[in-house]
Amino acid sequence: MTRKKTLLNIHGRQKKEEDCCRWAGEKLIKMDEKRREYDVVVIGEEPHLAYNRVGLTSFFQHRKAENLYLNPHEWYSGKPDGALNYHLNTIVTEIHPAQKVVSTSRGDTVPYDILVLATGSDALLPRHTPGHDAKGVFVYRTIDDLEKLITYADTCKGSTGAVVGGGLLGLEAAKAMMDLETFGKVKLIERNRWVLSRQLDADAGGMVVDLVTKLGLEVLLSKRVGKIEVDQDNAVKGVVFEDGEKMDCKCLMFGIGIKARDELARRSSIKCADRGGGIVIDPSLMTSEKDIYAIGECASWESQTYGLIAPGIEMADVLAFNLTQAKVHSPRKFKRPDLSTKLKLLGVEVASFGDFFADRDGPKNLPVRRIATKKSEGEGPQTMVKSITDGPPPPPVKALTYKDPFSAVYKKYLFTLDGKYLLGGMMIGDTKDYVKLVPMVKTQKQLEVPPSEFIIGASKGGEDDASDLTNDTQICSCHNVTKGDVAKVVQDGTCKSIGDVKSCTKAGTGCGGCMPLVQSIFNAEMKAMGTEVLNHLCPHFAYSRADLFNIIYVKKLKTFADVMKECGKQPDSVGCEACKPALASILASLYNQHVVDKPLHGLQDTNDKFLANIQRNGTFSVIPRVSAGEITADKLIVIGNVAKKYGLYCKITGGQRIDMFGAKKQDLISIWTELVNGGMESGHAYAKSLRTVKSCVGTTWCRFGIGDSVGMAVRLEERYKSIRSPHKLKGGVSGCVRECAEAQNKDFGLIATEKGFNVFVGGNGGAKPRHSELLAKDVPPDDVVPILDRYLMFYMRTADKLQRTARWVEQLPGGIKYLREVVLEDKLGICAELEKQMQELIGTFFCEWTEVINNPERQKSFHQFGNTSDTLETMEKVDERGQQRPAYWPSDSVKEDFRGTQWSQLTWQPMIEASKFADIPTGSSNPVKRGDTQLAIFKIKGKWYAMQQMCPHKRTFAMSEGLIGDDMASDKLWVSCPFHKRNFTLNGTEAGKCSNDAEVSVATFPVEEREDGWVYLKLPPVEELDARLGTSKWKVLKGEGKDPGFARLDEKMKGLKGRKMYEASHLANGDGAKAAANKIIGKGEGEGEGGMDW
């Protein structure tokens, strides 16, 4: 067993320093809880556990030290044995770096592996001022200081108490004196012309003076204490100012600054700053001694110490991160801290952020956004003389100021001269924008709105209801549907559902990319008419997808029949093309059973049925998993071999993997077998699930990398692969802010920072692109997974059908703010359950391809026809750039009346064994071949139906793979073509009609099962059937489709150097791609001369 390292944390009297000491220990323990590398030992000078010094003013209300504790006693005792030990009321007297031990005032020696000094600072007392040691003189720093003040104040009730110092500490001390309610009057003495002079300008500081004066604090400005007057008992009785004026008071508290406590370090020969004091540290926070670090107010970084809590917390973060996470991430460095401050002083909201004195002192750090300009003609000796006589030019900053004395609001924001970047600012009274403005300054991102909107605000945008679009605006380019077309059919009552709109206008029945906008227009029109808009899954359910998810989860429903019986309007319904895939997704998200198995097979879209993406010509594309885009040469060889063997068209996807097109259904299992045998697995490109987690190379190779983006992306893709969700999921991880992985347009994305990763969510590309939003920043690598587990599972539980995370986040009440509350702050109390549910789901992972390869029963549907091993081609192939693609679809549908075909005669013909159909509630089907004609046969609730296999819309041959739907009220059954969702009626007098495209129809045929176990179809003679429906007749040929129009462009490119559209080599005698590949594999010409040499 590896020995755990001891991390020794030494802090002095409780100050803000205690906060960063506690933060460092707590943060380290949290980050280390998985690895348990460290035992933390804390030695503290005070008798109290770590408490909140910022909350000291509340001590006067309860006067209980325990109420200020940052963690209760139980928190300490609840840590694993040895993980955290502490020594109270103990002073460390000496450090022995060579022996790695410290000595204490109790005579003990405590060993360490890592030593952290958090000794803090002392409050300054002006020891040059006569009377500084009188009774009644206090500083405002610790619980002990307050207890002494309380005791002394009782001896001088009704007198005047005074505070010296008008900074943050002084105003806090004044608040403490006023809260005692024992002094008759409290006065504040400030040497400058306004208070908070280190955070605010004169206007803002003056407004604070006015506000606190109204609250009962008397403020004396431009006053310096020259002497403290005392009585015969050496007790304070007043002060004399340097200008000679006097003021009576009985108690005096100093809040004029702090001095770093570095005496322990100095005694131990650890380097300390000569000027200003403090323990000298490097960017890793290490002192001059190895394995000894210093953080907080005692630390001197670049000759400066910091009295604010934020830099101390930042130091603690950096140190805890480096000690626990640097093995899997670039070590962090402490950089110039953000001194932004927001607090409430005497009831007054005050904030300053960024470079808040850039207009006075000049900007410290201007955004780098322009290349250097030419040296102007005016530069030279004359200009230098002018600068000496006239003084330096004004800072390159413009201020935008708002002052409302009636509402006591003051805002000043500082921008670059062009108004493109926010540099900093200050605000009084109204500080609600503080949290929004600070990140803008930190990221130095160019502003997207004019500066004036930061003061007066922007026009508020409501729901995206397309109200800014005119009625003649085209919203569906596939079918040239305008906004007015959609609005009209809703307004005149023709369409009362989104399905009706699709049927009437065809909007959304092409690529489907316009559906969010169509839905928005529909919702807006229905709302305008005073009609309730329901988000029910479909006519078969009076529930939304989220409602159904919860019902199925709580009642543990596992089959379509169970769900329909429990939740459906008609318990015996077969559902439809809208609800079946949604229910399949929910069941997979909860139980992850194989989608090819019979109980679930009838719920799946064609892609899921065959674990591959169906393409224009009825073949499929195959994409193996390439986690994070990282792939070995060996796997590339396996993929290349498969592609060559099966004649597959290859293309690199946008998600950094390889797509192989043109795989025949009957070849899929053989292709998968070779890929799986070569160490690969299903990439789930066919499913509404995680596609990829895209990555840049990060620290693996890139010289700019901060984080291991590839390593993180691989881990995330391996964790979330195969989980099905309401829509597809895409992730990205970038190794630095250069963002090469485009993580900010993904459903979830990470960008490495020096502190970990910023986590972005709710982005997507596509028809309606959306930038993702920041969910959490600077997340340590170990904490990324719990956050994403919660986010993804919350999305899977609550999103609507086919709703991407972008639209989901937009529609959450409160948007990203609410999501943060749920996922990060556990507002709903479900975080533990979300993590548990995700862990259970990913624990069920299996490769879907492999399970089919190993199970003959699952292989039965992987054939072109159920009654023969013959195959038919439905599209001609076109040679293009060294590969083959299918011919383009013709523009027009086939509008022949197939449904009304008059056959010369019909006779019963045995077509297929009935045993090849499953008796399942969702219905089952099979394609069959008769001569050159393809037919589709369906078995639904024990009844049989048959139609032509070709959909006339685009002359595709896949009707048998379509989803079956019903309307039990009208006893109507239909099948939905898997390509573009044309719905064709299967039964009754309207059999063969298309319900959402009246221009097309299909031929249907009588069908029955006989006692011999065969299914018979009543068909015309083969020659007559082929003449009407034959595959050769309707096969899509070259030249039928619309030419893409590249001829003129290709003509221009001919002869241009380096522009090559083919496989030729740039070398004069080069082989070119095909010949070179053949030589490598020892095939064709050159066989035996080359060959694989690895």
Side-chain angles (χ1 to χ4, degrees), residues 201 351-359 397-403 409-416 419 421-438 440-441 447 450-457:
D201 62 12
S352 60
F353 63 93
D355 197 352
F356 44 82
F357 281 141
D359 57 335
V397 172
K398 282 186 179 178
L400 191 62
T401 306
Y402 172 81
K403 186 175 183 180
V409 172
Y410 177 85
K411 297 180 181 181
K412 182 166 82 170
Y413 301 150
L414 305 176
F415 300 87
T416 52
Y421 296 87
L422 178 65
L423 300 176
M426 55 190 69
M427 49 188 84
I428 306 294
D430 177 10
T431 61
K432 65 178 181 294
D433 290 335
Y434 174 85
V435 294
K436 187 168 61 179
L437 299 178
V438 171
M440 291 183 183
V441 175
L447 303 178
S452 59
E453 288 194 9
F454 287 84
I455 299 292
I456 62 176

Side-chain angles (χ1 to χ4, degrees), residues 472-494:
D472 60 356
T473 301
Q474 184 189 69
I475 60 169
C476 174
S477 57
C478 295
H479 295 290
N480 192 26
V481 183
T482 66
K483 174 193 171 184
D485 294 333
V486 175
K488 181 177 180 298
V489 295
V490 178
Q491 292 166 0
D492 65 17
T494 304

Side-chain angles (χ1 to χ4, degrees), residues 12-15 45-49 51-53 55-57 59-60 62-66 68-69 89 122-123 137-153 176 180 253 261:
R13 292 188 290 276
Q14 299 269 7
K15 307 172 177 68
E45 186 174 337
E46 281 199 82
H48 302 290
L49 293 173
Y51 60 81
N52 180 14
R53 202 208 66 76
L56 274 178
T57 50
F59 183 74
F60 297 111
H62 51 74
R63 304 197 182 187
K64 294 179 181 178
E66 292 79 7
L68 294 177
Y69 285 178
N89 229 2
D122 281 326
V137 175
F138 298 95
V139 292
Y140 181 80
R141 206 66 180 148
T142 67
I143 289 176
D144 185 51
D145 292 331
L146 296 193
E147 287 175 335
K148 288 177 180 177
L149 174 63
I150 291 168
T151 302
Y152 190 83
L180 273 174
M253 181 176 284
R261 294 189 65 193

Side-chain angles (χ1 to χ4, degrees), residues 670-685:
S670 298
I671 290 170
W672 298 339
T673 301
E674 295 198 31
L675 292 172
V676 172
N677 182 60
M680 281 169 276
E681 65 187 17
S682 166
H684 290 90

